[in-house]
Amino acid sequence: MLALPLRNGPHSRPGHRPGGEKVAEAPKVRRLLSWIADGRTAAVPLFVLAAIERVAWTLDGHLAMLDTELRNAAISWAQTGWIADAFRPGSGPTAHVGAVPPVIPGLVFRLFGVDSPATAVVLTVFSALVVVATSLVLSRAFAKLGTPAPVRGAAVVLICLLPLHYELESRSLRIYENGDAALALALLLLAVVRLDQRRTIGIADSIGLSALTAFIVALSPSLSICAIAILGILAWRRLDWASRSRAAAILSAVLILTSLPWALRNETRLGEMVWTRGNFGLEFALGTHRGAVAPADPGAVYLTRLSQIHPHGNDVAYRAMQAAGGELPYSHRLGAETMRWVLGHPVPSLTIWLRHWREFFFPPPWMWFHTAPPDATMPIRLVVVDLIAAFALVGLFAALSRRQWLFLYLIPPVLLLPLPYLLTQPLVRYRYVIASLLIFLAADALARLTGRGQSGLRRTL
């Protein structure tokens, strides 16, 4: 950039400007942020600092593991090799949690003991590793989208060292798969934006993308819709009809190959070929019902509904599930009842779903309190998360309006991922899958708005 020369005054000397130290500091900060974004040695100190922060929080009275269906299934897998007992010991084989999510915590349970302090620390460190890896992979992806390195470095620092979701990352993600899903999504985005700029996309590329998508399908059914849509955009942009058919055949074959054993297991153990999870009817009934139309206290309504119909930790609902013939018939019955209510009350249902859309991107305080007790930082974090979501959404549509077509790949995770949760009940944990992605999108939008984005850099070269 051009700078006007300053006239020498009585307290100046050639080559010196008032405030020169501050001017010199700015390039140093930019170099540091660029190193964080792209430096090959940045990952290790980032991981160490991120792990120390989260382990310190864990050791400060938060060693206890969450009592969840996934924890119960992981304990069963660790002790017996079977994914079972999601609702309580002895509840039997389950498709409630999927095939992949219980494996990582279950493996740690085997090695370090169920619910031991060592297990809590190891899983917290693993969660920190996933958080850092996700941020750095997204940084590489956004480099392809034209986001400057200092801006990406600032996003990495915010995600890793100034955590907005430290309760989730230090406790919930010890058990839940949402962090792993965020990393898998970041890897898929990086792969497709790189392939989009390649001259050719071969069979090996299709196999690799299909394998990653199959893992996502087994890990997170809601994210699987986004993953397949992302591959569809790549095929539409870069492949001819013959190559599209070949890629679709490869994807179908890989999905069948990886999902069929789980489906056959469910048919044998539960009487039905469930390909991913069998809990949609239950979750649908939790989020869409008469009491959720215009609640004065949505959090209280959600917890009340949870206590009425969810079999985990609830004797009445558990007996109702047994009377229905098991978890799958019970979930199907709840889903059918909810659908009948929706068909009879379309306008109230739409009211619920519109509120859920807002809650997904702009979580109200009760959703944060559901994750952890409030602390002094929560009011600030609520505002920051809302601003990030607003800038991210505006930034995505602004990028598309500028014909930056690589941003098309961000449409599925940003706009399709929330759709299942409109019918159920969005929670902060569910939106975490795209929380880091939203931070990068917001950072890119702010940089362009202030002239420090890609277009601003071009003007100064």
Side-chain angles (χ1 to χ4, degrees):
M1 296 179 64
L2 296 176
L4 295 175
L6 296 176
R7 181 177 298 173
N8 288 343
H11 301 290
S12 64
R13 61 183 182 273
H16 175 78
R17 288 185 293 167
E21 292 182 0
K22 293 183 179 179
V23 173
E25 288 175 1
K28 291 182 180 179
V29 173
R30 287 197 292 270
R31 285 197 296 271
L32 175 61
L33 292 175
S34 297
W35 173 75
I36 290 172
D38 293 331
R40 294 185 177 182
T41 57
V44 173
L46 276 173
F47 166 61
V48 170
L49 291 173
I52 289 173
E53 285 185 355
R54 290 157 178 81
V55 169
W57 187 86
T58 296
L59 295 176
D60 186 26
H62 301 98
L63 282 168
M65 303 291 287
L66 293 175
D67 182 15
T68 71
E69 308 95 296
L70 184 51
R71 167 185 166 274
N72 292 344
I75 292 173
S76 174
W77 187 87
Q79 295 176 341
T80 69
W82 294 100
I83 296 175
D85 298 345
F87 303 108
R88 62 179 60 184
S91 59
T94 183
H96 185 81
V97 297
V100 173
V103 173
I104 292 177
L107 180 61
V108 178
F109 287 158
R110 282 187 182 182
L111 297 175
F112 297 96
V114 173
D115 294 349
S116 69
T119 290
V121 171
V122 169
L123 288 173
T124 302
V125 171
F126 180 76
S127 172
L129 176 62
V130 170
V131 170
V132 173
T134 301
S135 68
L136 293 177
V137 172
L138 285 174
S139 178
R140 300 294 191 273
F142 272 79
K144 297 293 184 182
L145 299 177
T147 308
V151 177
R152 292 184 282 113
V156 170
V157 169
L158 177 60
I159 294 166
C160 297
L161 305 183
L162 300 173
L164 295 172
H165 304 87
Y166 66 85
E167 306 100 336
L168 278 172
E169 295 165 350
S170 303
R171 191 177 186 189
S172 295
L173 298 189
R174 296 181 210 163
I175 290 294
Y176 287 116
E177 76 282 358
N178 308 86
D180 304 325
L183 176 56
L185 172 63
L187 289 168
L188 183 62
L189 288 172
L190 177 59
V192 296
V193 295
R194 283 179 171 175
L195 288 172
D196 189 282
Q197 298 175 327
R198 284 251 304 266
R199 181 168 298 181
T200 59
I201 299 176
I203 294 178
D205 300 316
S206 295
I207 294 174
L209 290 175
S210 298
L212 180 54
T213 300
F215 174 75
I216 290 173
V217 169
L219 183 68
S220 173
S222 58
L223 185 58
S224 64
I225 302 170
C226 305
I228 293 171
I230 289 170
L231 296 190
I233 293 172
L234 179 65
W236 168 63
R237 281 177 52 82
R238 293 301 320 279
L239 300 181
D240 56 29
W241 281 106
S243 298
R244 290 171 190 170
S245 300
R246 182 185 65 197
I250 291 173
L251 176 62
S252 300
V254 172
L255 287 176
I256 292 173
L257 181 66
T258 54
S259 300
L260 185 59
W262 175 248
L264 292 175
R265 172 263 189 194
N266 290 330
E267 184 178 38
T268 300
R269 309 284 272 178
L270 299 169
E272 187 176 330
M273 288 189 70
V274 177
W275 290 83
T276 53
R277 301 186 189 185
N279 63 334
F280 176 76
L282 173 61
E283 301 297 333
F284 189 23
L286 280 173
T288 301
H289 57 94
R290 188 183 306 277
V293 176
D297 186 344
V301 169
Y302 171 71
L303 292 177
T304 299
R305 183 67 169 169
L306 194 70
S307 68
Q308 290 172 343
I309 66 172
H310 204 294
H312 178 251
N314 184 332
D315 289 338
V316 175
Y318 184 77
R319 287 195 294 270
M321 181 185 74
Q322 289 181 310
E327 68 175 56
L328 293 182
Y330 182 64
S331 182
H332 295 332
R333 192 194 78 191
L334 288 173
E337 291 173 355
T338 303
M339 182 56 69
R340 283 195 296 271
W341 183 83
V342 167
L343 294 176
H345 304 82
V347 175
S349 299
L350 182 60
T351 301
I352 295 172
W353 299 338
L354 289 175
R355 189 183 75 250
H356 285 173
W357 186 93
R358 185 182 72 250
E359 288 176 339
F360 184 92
F361 287 103
F362 307 99
W366 77 263
M367 283 174 52
W368 292 86
F369 301 160
H370 182 73
T371 300
D375 60 16
T377 69
M378 187 163 288
I380 299 173
R381 289 189 286 147
L382 283 170
V383 174
V384 172
V385 167
D386 285 355
L387 288 174
I388 286 171
F391 277 108
L393 292 171
V394 171
L396 175 58
F397 289 108
L400 295 174
S401 70
R402 293 190 298 266
R403 298 178 180 271
Q404 293 180 285
W405 299 126
L406 285 180
F407 280 80
L408 285 169
Y409 294 110
L410 305 186
I411 290 179
V414 174
L415 298 185
L416 293 186
L417 181 66
L419 294 183
Y421 302 116
L422 304 190
L423 305 179
T424 60
Q425 170 61 62
L427 298 173
V428 177
R429 174 167 58 85
Y430 299 152
R431 80 186 294 279
Y432 184 83
V433 175
I434 61 169
S436 295
L437 174 61
L438 292 177
I439 289 173
F440 272 92
L441 259 175
D444 179 85
L446 279 170
R448 295 177 191 277
L449 184 64
T450 58
R452 297 181 181 276
Q454 186 182 55
S455 58
L457 289 178
R458 284 175 176 170
R459 287 196 298 269
T460 62
L461 291 178

